[in-house]
């Protein structure tokens, strides 16, 4: 019977670590010293600064020390918590004079400094996210900076925002409780908007804020005791930011209409008497200065969202007419002008086009609204000739052609009798 012989083992074996697996010690001080030396040699010539930073990227680890690099370009040295310049026990100086905080506080000078950063991230694309993170961090230190430093930072922020080097989402980090309470957040954001609106039109600025989810958070930059649309609008207006005031009013109007639409839906679901619904809508319309044509459109939306529509197209037609017939008095109360009638009619057209089951019921709705005085003959003819939407234009014009011809002939007969 054979026995298994154990294989010999080596004891005390040393495994040599490959060079690529060795972790290099994190040494921001040495990186800083190398950058400061290069900036010192470049002097105040920003073209030379850019050339140095461009070539240094092949020798220095920008990927690992990107935050340190941007600290130096912004504040002159490595920023410690609170916004002070950190001293890492280096034998050399810990601060550079070539930085944004040391630049002249005029727009042209700051644009030149911002251009240094722009060139850098164009050369090293991986630094884009680092730059966003840098601004998020620096905004938390605003209280530790001087008013002049905050103003310079705000201007450079606006320049980089308008150029697309940083995203509007970074501004959310300004919403720190202590900054809001002391009024620093509002002061800073106003300085940003002044320059940003000078570089970009208001729609582009508002679009960026909306994309970052900040369009609905502007009130949060105000101290709690002053947090109102009226105060914010007046503040923006006093600083010449009237373009944003218009956007704010539109935002508020949109919010008010959405709330009113929800209120109407709830009232209709609860089978509230129609005169009460009409009274409530008129009160809100007057209180919030909502134009009649916008009310007519939101009422249509409310009416069409409180129903679970049948999935079978042939049954939807009958269901739609039966449903809308109950509320023609509500709609007619808010279509006293041609503008309101046309707004409603275009909305109905677009709704029927966007919801395929309603494509063939459009004419029936049109006739119903005509017979119940929601829409007038003149408005229908104007819609047919010139005021219709491009959505499903040929389909709906063809669908209503006979009815429109009947209206026109009736109008001609009436004129002849007169």
């Amino acid at each position: 019977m054979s026995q298994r012989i154990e294989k010999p083992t080596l004891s005390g074996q040393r495994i040599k670590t490959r060079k690529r697996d060795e972790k290099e010690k994190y040494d921001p001080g040495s990186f800083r010293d190398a950058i400061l030396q290069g900036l010192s040699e470049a002097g105040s010539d920003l073209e030379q600064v850019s050339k140095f930073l461009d070539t240094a990227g092949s020798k220095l680890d920008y990927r690992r020390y990107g935050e340190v690099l941007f600290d130096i370009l912004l504040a002159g040295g490595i920023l410690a918590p609170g916004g002070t310049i950190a001293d890492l026990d280096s034998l050399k100086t810990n601060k550079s004079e070539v930085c944004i905080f040391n630049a002249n506080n005029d727009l042209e000078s700051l644009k030149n400094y911002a251009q240094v950063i722009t060139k850098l991230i164009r050369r090293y694309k991986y630094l884009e996210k680092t730059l966003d993170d840098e601004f998020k961090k620096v905004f938390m230190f605003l209280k530790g900076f001087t008013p002049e430093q905050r103003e310079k930072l705000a201007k450079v922020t606006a320049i980089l925002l308008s150029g697309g080097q940083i995203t509007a989402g970074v501004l959310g980090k300004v919403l720190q409780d202590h900054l809001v309470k002391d009024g620093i957040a509002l002061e800073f954001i106003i300085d940003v908007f002044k320059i940003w609106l000078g570089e970009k039109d208001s729609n582009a600025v508002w679009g960026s804020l909306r994309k970052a989810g900040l369009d609905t958070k502007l009130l949060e930059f105000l101290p709690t005791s002053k947090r109102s649309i009226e105060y914010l609008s007046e503040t923006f207006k006093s600083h010449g930011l009237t373009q944003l005031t218009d956007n704010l009013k539109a935002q508020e109007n949109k919010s008010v209409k959405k709330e009113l639409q929800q209120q109407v839906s709830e009232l209709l679901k609860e089978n509230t008497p129609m005169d009460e619904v009409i009274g409530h809508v008129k009160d809100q319309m007057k209180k919030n200065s909502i134009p009649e044509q916008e009310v007519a459109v939101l009422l249509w939306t409310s009416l069409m969202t409180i129903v679970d529509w049948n999935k079978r197209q042939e049954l939807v037609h009958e269901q739609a007419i039966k449903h809308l017939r109950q509320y023609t008095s509500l709609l007619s109360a808010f279509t006293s002008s041609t503008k309101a009638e046309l707004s409603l009619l275009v909305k109905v057209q677009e709704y029927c086009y966007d919801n395929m089951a309603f494509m063939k019921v459009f004419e029936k709705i049109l006739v119903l609204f005509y017979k119940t005085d929601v829409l007038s003959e003149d408005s229908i003819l104007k819609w047919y000739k010139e005021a219709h939407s491009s959505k499903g234009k040929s389909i709906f014009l063809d669908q209503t052609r006979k009815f429109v011809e009947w209206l026109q002939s009736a109008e001609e007969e009436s004129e002849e009798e007169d």
Side-chain angles (χ1 to χ4, degrees):
M1 186 174 176
S2 63
Q3 292 183 340
R4 181 179 296 176
I5 301 173
E6 291 186 7
K7 294 180 179 180
T9 58
L10 294 173
S11 59
Q13 182 183 11
R14 293 184 64 188
I15 301 172
K16 186 178 180 181
T17 305
R18 288 177 296 183
K19 191 171 183 181
R20 70 184 185 194
D21 293 333
E22 291 178 2
K23 286 191 175 179
E24 189 181 335
K25 181 183 176 183
Y26 183 69
D27 187 11
S30 295
F31 177 86
R32 176 202 60 188
D33 292 344
I35 294 294
L36 293 187
Q37 183 180 345
L39 293 178
S40 177
E41 291 172 359
S44 59
D45 187 341
L46 296 184
E47 192 63 39
Q48 292 301 316
V49 169
S50 288
K51 286 181 180 178
F52 159 68
L53 294 172
D54 186 43
T55 55
S58 61
K59 305 171 190 173
L60 302 175
D61 194 349
Y62 282 179
R63 195 180 295 273
R64 193 176 191 194
Y65 298 106
E67 181 184 334
V68 176
L69 176 61
F70 287 127
D71 273 359
I72 295 169
L73 294 179
L74 285 173
I78 299 176
L79 287 169
T84 58
I85 301 296
D87 186 354
L88 303 182
D89 299 325
S90 172
L91 296 176
K92 300 178 182 181
T93 178
N94 65 346
K95 193 171 186 293
S96 170
E97 295 301 314
V98 184
C99 64
I100 285 166
F101 281 179
N102 200 50
N104 291 331
N105 194 8
D106 63 273
L107 191 57
E108 195 59 39
S109 296
L110 292 171
K111 277 186 176 182
N112 291 333
Y113 274 83
Q115 187 63 19
V116 171
I117 294 176
T118 300
K119 287 179 179 179
L120 182 62
I121 63 171
R122 282 177 182 168
R123 175 68 176 83
Y124 300 98
K125 295 289 286 183
Y126 58 81
L127 286 175
E128 286 180 347
K129 185 180 184 304
T130 309
L131 184 62
D132 253 35
D133 292 340
E134 171 72 11
F135 273 81
K136 289 176 184 177
K137 180 194 78 174
V138 170
F139 289 161
M140 298 174 73
F141 302 157
L142 286 178
K143 195 170 183 178
F145 301 147
T146 67
E148 186 180 21
Q149 287 173 339
R150 288 199 293 267
E151 187 180 348
K152 290 177 182 178
L153 180 61
K155 289 176 179 178
V156 169
T157 300
I159 294 164
L160 295 175
L161 279 168
S162 62
Q165 285 78 44
I166 57 175
T167 62
V170 301
L171 296 174
K173 285 297 180 180
V174 181
L175 290 171
Q176 305 292 317
D177 289 342
H178 64 287
L179 298 177
V180 172
K181 183 180 177 182
D182 294 342
I184 293 174
L186 180 60
E187 182 184 86
F188 184 81
I189 205 73
I190 285 173
D191 285 340
V192 170
F193 285 147
K194 283 179 180 177
I195 305 302
W196 197 3
L197 286 167
E199 301 294 314
K200 289 282 185 178
D201 66 77
S202 60
N203 290 331
V205 172
W206 194 259
S208 297
L209 292 174
R210 185 168 57 245
K211 187 176 180 181
L214 290 172
D215 58 323
T216 57
K217 292 185 177 181
L218 290 179
L219 282 177
E220 296 177 27
F221 287 93
L222 294 171
T224 309
S225 60
K226 300 176 180 178
R227 202 164 285 177
S228 70
I229 286 289
E230 292 75 20
Y231 182 84
L232 186 59
S233 295
E234 284 302 313
T235 302
F236 280 172
K237 191 175 180 181
S238 66
H239 286 88
L241 303 174
T242 52
Q243 308 99 310
L244 285 185
T245 303
D246 295 337
N247 288 113
L248 272 175
K249 287 178 180 176
Q251 179 81 22
E252 183 187 18
N253 186 257
K254 184 179 178 181
S255 177
V256 167
K257 286 192 292 181
K258 186 176 180 180
E259 186 178 349
L260 178 56
Q261 182 182 312
Q262 292 173 343
Q263 291 173 357
V264 171
S265 297
E266 290 301 317
L267 290 172
L268 296 178
K269 287 177 182 177
E270 295 167 2
N271 295 316
T272 307
M274 204 51 58
D275 57 341
E276 290 185 24
V277 178
I278 293 171
H280 175 74
V281 174
K282 285 189 174 180
D283 288 343
Q284 292 300 310
M285 178 180 164
K286 184 178 180 180
K287 177 183 176 182
N288 297 294
S289 303
I290 308 175
E292 186 186 51
Q293 65 270 17
E294 293 180 12
V295 173
V297 168
L298 75 84
L299 288 176
W300 167 266
T301 304
S302 296
L303 290 175
M304 301 309 280
T305 53
I306 61 173
V307 181
D308 292 324
W309 296 105
N310 200 299
K311 294 181 180 179
R312 295 177 59 183
Q313 187 171 335
E314 62 272 18
L315 297 178
V316 167
H317 298 178
E318 184 180 343
Q319 185 186 10
I321 298 303
K322 184 179 179 181
H323 171 66
L324 291 170
R325 187 176 281 117
Q326 303 173 70
Y327 303 107
T328 53
S329 60
L330 173 62
L331 290 170
S332 63
F334 298 95
T335 51
S336 61
S337 66
T338 301
K339 194 170 184 179
E341 290 182 33
L342 287 172
S343 295
L344 174 60
L345 191 41
V346 168
K347 181 64 178 178
V348 175
Q349 176 193 344
E350 293 181 343
Y351 180 88
C352 291
Y353 179 77
D354 293 334
N355 298 271
M356 294 296 290
F358 290 83
M359 289 283 280
K360 295 181 180 179
V361 77
F362 176 74
E363 184 197 11
K364 290 183 173 63
I365 296 173
L366 186 71
V367 173
L368 171 66
F369 285 174
Y370 171 71
K371 289 181 176 179
T372 54
D373 294 326
V374 176
L375 299 174
S376 67
E377 178 183 314
D378 290 341
S379 293
I380 294 172
L381 292 175
K382 186 171 183 178
W383 166 84
Y384 186 86
K385 293 174 183 176
E386 59 186 67
H388 46 258
S389 169
S390 59
K391 286 189 173 183
K393 171 185 171 182
S394 57
I395 297 171
F396 297 126
L397 293 185
D398 185 61
Q399 194 179 120
T400 57
R401 180 171 51 80
K402 289 184 179 179
F403 177 62
V404 169
E405 287 175 354
W406 177 81
L407 285 178
Q408 288 174 327
S409 61
E411 184 180 32
E412 289 168 2
E413 288 176 8
S414 176
E415 288 175 354
E416 288 174 4
E417 288 176 6
D418 291 340

